[in-house]
Amino acid sequence: MNINLLHKSKFVLVHFLLWVVVYFFFVYFFSYNSNNTSYIIWFSSFLLPITMVTTYFMVYYLIPRYLLTKKYVLFSIYSLYTAIFSTYLIVLAIFGGFIFLSNMEIKKMPPMSRNFVFVLILVYLVVAIFSFISLLNQNFKTISKNKALENKILETQLQIKNQELQYLKKQIHPHFLFNTLNTIYGFALKQSEDTPEIILKLSNLLDYILYQVNKPKVSLKEEIAHIKEYIELEKIRFQDTLKVSFIADEIPESIQISPMLLIPFVENAFKHGNLIDGFLNTEIVIRFSNDNLKFTIKNTTIQNEATKENYGIGLKNIKKRLDILYIDNYTLNISEFEGWYNVNLNVLNLKAN
């Protein structure tokens, strides 16, 4: 069966049942202190179409066209016109009942049917109830639409954030790969015994960077292990000109962070660090306590404007990732003092993120 036809059939059936209820509602009240069943049935039958026309005009024309669009003045004016016209019809119904149903004998009229104010209240009570239900329904639909729109906006924002995150992750692809490949090439030419070990370390690191980076979370312990592998590769590249101090707490396996969150800082230290007195000094400290991660890295540097600019580009990408992943739950402090470039990152409530 056609869905639209099914909805229309349901709409007609529901409205038919509602008006049947209203009809018996009229019959019940007009039966008060009266046994003139014929008059009551006919009078209720006269009154029902008036009530229906007034209700539908209010619900399907005045409310959506003027009230919901906040045209309050026009709504008030047309509502007044509607009230005057419907009152005129109600008066005609009362006089019609008096003339045709009671043969102009007022005693034969049920008491409630000749009370103009009561009839008016009864009709407008039905109109008011239906109008109130219509407004509630419109309000519910508006809330549902707004909620659906809000969810769609949130979903779109999430997709944008994910795309931005993926873009930022791609920008993290380590430039050290090229340096390491050159190192491997140099060792291969010398037929060094260290060449297979370098290739193995690079393979492990690339596996982490290329595949684990697509996961939403990885073990912090695993991230630290790959930082160590990265440092070993850099030691091979720098030979005897690199001094690294690495201190890390024992991290539980259950603690997770976003992949490649710490390695870019280490990468920057080796990329932009400078040899002082023949050595590039790098110090790394990783602490974890009370569900908070404290990461500190510093390296010797002789900064010029070009170095600062390159540092800035990389750090902007890292900050964007942190804002997406740990907004309001991290602090990042960067400073330069007496030839040292210092980075302090604190990530709070790791389990909650």
Side-chain angles (χ1 to χ4, degrees):
M1 182 181 287
N2 189 295
I3 295 177
N4 290 331
L5 184 61
L6 184 64
H7 284 314
K8 287 179 181 178
S9 300
K10 185 179 178 181
F11 175 86
V12 172
L13 180 61
V14 169
H15 279 243
F16 174 77
L17 292 175
L18 284 173
W19 289 117
V20 169
V21 171
V22 172
Y23 176 77
F24 284 108
F25 175 74
F26 286 163
V27 170
Y28 172 77
F29 277 100
F30 292 133
S31 297
Y32 182 74
N33 286 337
S34 176
N35 295 319
N36 193 343
T37 305
S38 177
Y39 188 101
I40 292 167
I41 290 173
W42 280 106
F43 184 71
S44 298
S45 299
F46 293 158
L47 207 58
L48 186 65
I50 298 171
T51 309
M52 290 175 67
V53 170
T54 306
T55 301
Y56 282 130
F57 186 72
M58 179 66 73
V59 168
Y60 291 106
Y61 185 77
L62 293 183
I63 289 177
R65 187 161 185 174
Y66 298 107
L67 184 60
L68 296 180
T69 55
K70 298 182 180 181
K71 298 176 182 177
Y72 301 123
V73 175
L74 288 174
F75 176 75
S76 300
I77 293 170
Y78 289 128
S79 294
L80 179 62
Y81 290 161
T82 303
I84 293 171
F85 182 71
S86 57
T87 300
Y88 171 72
L89 294 177
I90 291 169
V91 170
L92 287 181
I94 293 172
F95 274 100
F98 173 68
I99 296 169
F100 299 107
L101 299 178
S102 66
N103 296 319
M104 302 183 70
E105 294 182 31
I106 197 167
K107 291 182 180 180
K108 291 183 180 180
M109 295 177 68
M112 293 302 181
S113 68
R114 62 175 180 256
N115 187 330
F116 170 72
V117 175
F118 176 79
V119 175
L120 206 63
I121 291 172
L122 207 61
V123 170
Y124 285 126
L125 177 63
V126 173
V127 175
I129 290 172
F130 276 80
S131 299
F132 179 71
I133 293 172
S134 174
L135 284 172
L136 281 180
N137 187 45
Q138 289 289 341
N139 187 52
F140 176 75
K141 285 181 179 178
T142 302
I143 292 173
S144 298
K145 285 181 180 179
N146 289 341
K147 191 67 178 176
L149 183 61
E150 183 181 339
N151 290 337
K152 197 167 184 180
I153 291 172
L154 288 174
E155 186 179 341
T156 304
Q157 288 177 339
L158 183 60
Q159 288 176 351
I160 292 171
K161 289 291 184 184
N162 285 333
Q163 289 174 358
E164 184 180 358
L165 193 56
Q166 292 302 320
Y167 171 73
L168 292 172
K169 283 179 179 179
K170 287 177 181 178
Q171 287 192 329
I172 295 170
H173 284 320
H175 62 279
F176 80 91
L177 173 62
F178 302 104
N179 295 326
T180 307
L181 287 174
N182 286 330
T183 304
I184 292 172
Y185 178 70
F187 274 74
L189 288 177
K190 296 175 185 178
Q191 296 184 346
S192 171
E193 294 179 357
D194 294 327
T195 305
E197 184 183 355
I198 298 171
I199 294 173
L200 181 62
K201 288 182 182 297
L202 180 61
S203 175
N204 290 337
L205 198 55
L206 285 178
D207 176 72
Y208 180 71
I209 292 170
L210 297 176
Y211 298 105
Q212 304 300 319
V213 76
N214 292 321
K215 295 180 180 179
K217 295 287 181 67
V218 295
S219 167
L220 176 56
K221 194 171 184 178
E222 188 178 1
E223 176 93 353
I224 292 172
H226 283 89
I227 288 175
K228 290 178 179 177
E229 283 197 329
Y230 177 85
I231 291 171
E232 291 302 316
L233 279 172
E234 292 291 359
K235 282 181 178 178
I236 294 170
R237 185 166 70 88
F238 279 90
Q239 297 293 309
D240 297 329
T241 61
L242 179 63
K243 289 184 179 180
V244 179
S245 170
F246 186 89
I247 301 171
D249 289 344
E250 186 63 32
I251 309 295
E253 287 284 353
S254 59
I255 305 304
Q256 294 190 321
I257 61 169
S258 176
M260 296 290 291
L261 190 70
L262 305 181
I263 290 179
F265 291 107
V266 182
E267 185 183 345
N268 269 352
F270 290 112
K271 179 182 179 182
H272 301 295
N274 298 109
L275 275 66
I276 306 293
D277 297 328
F279 294 98
L280 169 60
N281 288 279
T282 305
E283 297 178 7
I284 302 170
V285 179
I286 301 174
R287 301 291 187 192
F288 181 80
S289 62
N290 300 321
D291 202 27
N292 298 330
L293 170 66
K294 294 183 178 180
F295 173 78
T296 303
I297 182 168
K298 63 180 185 177
N299 59 273
T300 52
T301 184
I302 305 172
Q303 284 205 340
N304 52 42
E305 291 304 315
T307 307
K308 287 181 181 179
E309 185 178 346
N310 289 332
Y311 252 122
I313 293 170
L315 288 172
K316 281 180 183 178
N317 291 337
I318 296 170
K319 286 178 180 178
K320 283 181 180 179
R321 283 191 72 205
L322 287 167
D323 284 337
I324 293 172
L325 297 165
Y326 299 100
I327 190 165
D328 298 328
N329 279 305
Y330 83 93
T331 58
L332 179 62
N333 297 310
I334 299 169
S335 62
E336 184 186 358
F337 182 71
E338 295 184 350
W340 286 88
Y341 194 85
N342 306 286
V343 175
N344 292 285
L345 172 66
N346 293 330
V347 182
L348 312 176
N349 304 316
L350 269 183
K351 289 181 181 178
N353 289 282

